[in-house]
Amino acid sequence: MMIKTKDLLKDAQKKGYAVPAFNIYNLVTIQAVMETAEELRSPVILAATPGSLKFIGSDYLLALAKFTADKFSIPMTIHLDHFTDVELLKSCIKMGFRSVMIDASALPFSQNVAVVREVVEYGRNFGVSVEAELGCLPGREEGTRIQGQEVLTNPQEVPDFLNQTGVDSLAVAIGTVHGPYKAEPKLDYERLKAIREMTDVPLVLHGVSGLPSESVSLAIKLGICKINVATELKMAFSDTVKEYFAQNPAGSDPRKYLQAAKDAMKKVVAAKIQMCGSARRA
């Protein structure tokens, strides 16, 4: 069943767990996420980047989301993640998407505020949940753009940013990156703690793929109530397809190699749900 993102996150915040947001790319990946979440009775967010929206088609994606919400009993939503084009977001909101992230984090503070506020004010007419980012994560996010130089979130800027924008959730930069890690990251937990003390707005952690479970668990204890997972899902899916054809060079049936990839992806989804503490929270 489709639930407002801000309601999902408020429940997670109240009960001390995080809602996992999994990037999806087609029907098979949606099934992998939803079937696993249903089995584990976990609320879940299906996240689509601009690249995924273009690949699937906005009308197809919205129809798939609505069908999925009716088919499964767990609380879920479809979320447009890391969008930088305000007009594109507005058209998606007008079409029926009700959870979006406007990412102006690479811009100076005042410009970030102005862009985010424009989306928030537009979205209010439609009951949309809006996420934004303060601080900037390094790395590449789904081919949408190369993020700017890493800038960790300044806790002192958080109250002004939230007051001026009115966002429903805030993605913070505390040392994570988009894409695979070349070395184990060192998260700034003191910074996260300071941010949490500045606001009760739900906090989001991007760049979770590859983080040790212990690191994520501590971040959740310190206030994170939504995590984003993409890279590990893609790697599990693509590596399994490569392995299938290495073992079956004459193979040609998509149902076979896609099923194998789906099963591999489900294992990652299950592990992340357990890491978030969201199992049996539906």
Side-chain angles (χ1 to χ4, degrees):
M1 52 184 172
M2 194 80 75
I3 302 292
K4 289 184 178 180
T5 300
K6 61 182 178 181
D7 292 338
L8 285 176
L9 301 190
K10 284 293 185 181
D11 185 74
Q13 187 176 47
K14 179 181 178 180
K15 297 176 181 176
Y17 67 96
V19 180
F22 297 107
N23 279 34
I24 49 87
Y25 311 97
N26 54 25
L27 175 60
V28 176
T29 55
I30 290 174
Q31 289 174 328
V33 171
M34 292 303 301
E35 289 172 9
T36 307
E38 181 90 346
E39 292 165 7
L40 296 177
R41 305 301 302 161
S42 170
V44 72
I45 296 170
L46 302 179
T49 61
S52 293
L53 185 76
K54 182 178 180 180
F55 176 74
I56 299 172
S58 55
D59 50 354
Y60 276 114
L61 180 58
L62 189 58
L64 281 170
K66 291 178 177 179
F67 175 80
T68 298
D70 291 337
K71 182 178 177 63
F72 294 90
S73 63
I74 55 172
M76 59 81 65
T77 193
I78 180 74
H79 175 73
L80 301 182
D81 198 40
H82 280 290
F83 276 60
T84 59
D85 187 329
V86 171
E87 294 308 314
L88 176 57
L89 263 190
K90 286 182 178 180
S91 68
C92 290
I93 290 170
K94 190 174 182 179
M95 177 181 291
F97 290 93
R98 294 294 176 262
S99 180
V100 304
M101 179 197 183
I102 175 63
D103 185 359
S105 62
L107 299 176
F109 182 88
S110 61
Q111 294 179 40
N112 189 357
V113 166
V115 171
V116 173
R117 186 169 54 218
E118 182 178 355
V119 174
V120 171
E121 291 177 351
Y122 185 84
R124 281 176 181 159
N125 299 317
F126 300 88
V128 173
S129 298
V130 180
E131 175 186 331
E133 185 171 309
L134 183 60
C136 193
L137 273 66
R140 192 175 184 86
E141 172 56 32
E142 272 298 293
T144 56
R145 67 184 174 89
I146 295 291
Q147 304 260 356
Q149 183 179 1
E150 179 181 20
V151 178
L152 299 184
T153 304
N154 182 349
Q156 301 303 318
E157 292 181 339
V158 168
D160 282 347
F161 184 83
L162 296 177
N163 290 335
Q164 293 186 55
T165 61
V167 292
D168 299 292
S169 59
L170 180 68
V172 296
I174 59 169
T176 56
V177 303
H178 290 298
Y181 287 95
K182 297 180 179 179
E184 184 173 332
K186 296 180 179 180
L187 303 190
D188 192 339
Y189 297 110
E190 289 302 316
R191 184 178 300 270
L192 176 57
K193 184 178 178 181
I195 294 169
R196 176 76 289 164
E197 291 173 351
M198 291 290 182
T199 180
D200 61 356
V201 168
L203 301 179
V204 179
L205 188 63
H206 290 240
V208 171
S209 287
L211 283 183
S213 296
E214 298 78 10
S215 298
V216 177
S217 296
L218 180 54
I220 293 171
K221 289 181 181 178
L222 294 176
I224 294 296
C225 53
K226 171 178 174 274
I227 68 163
N228 287 30
V229 182
T231 301
E232 283 188 71
L233 299 175
K234 291 187 291 186
M235 291 176 64
F237 195 97
S238 60
D239 288 350
T240 301
V241 172
K242 294 173 187 175
E243 182 179 349
Y244 176 88
F245 281 108
Q247 297 177 358
N248 303 275
S252 62
D253 189 340
R255 292 166 297 185
K256 293 183 179 180
Y257 59 79
L258 288 179
Q259 183 62 57
K262 177 181 172 182
D263 291 342
M265 190 172 177
K266 290 181 73 171
K267 291 180 181 179
V268 176
V269 172
K272 299 306 178 186
I273 287 174
Q274 297 294 351
M275 181 179 69
C276 284
S278 62
R280 297 176 298 281
R281 299 285 189 175

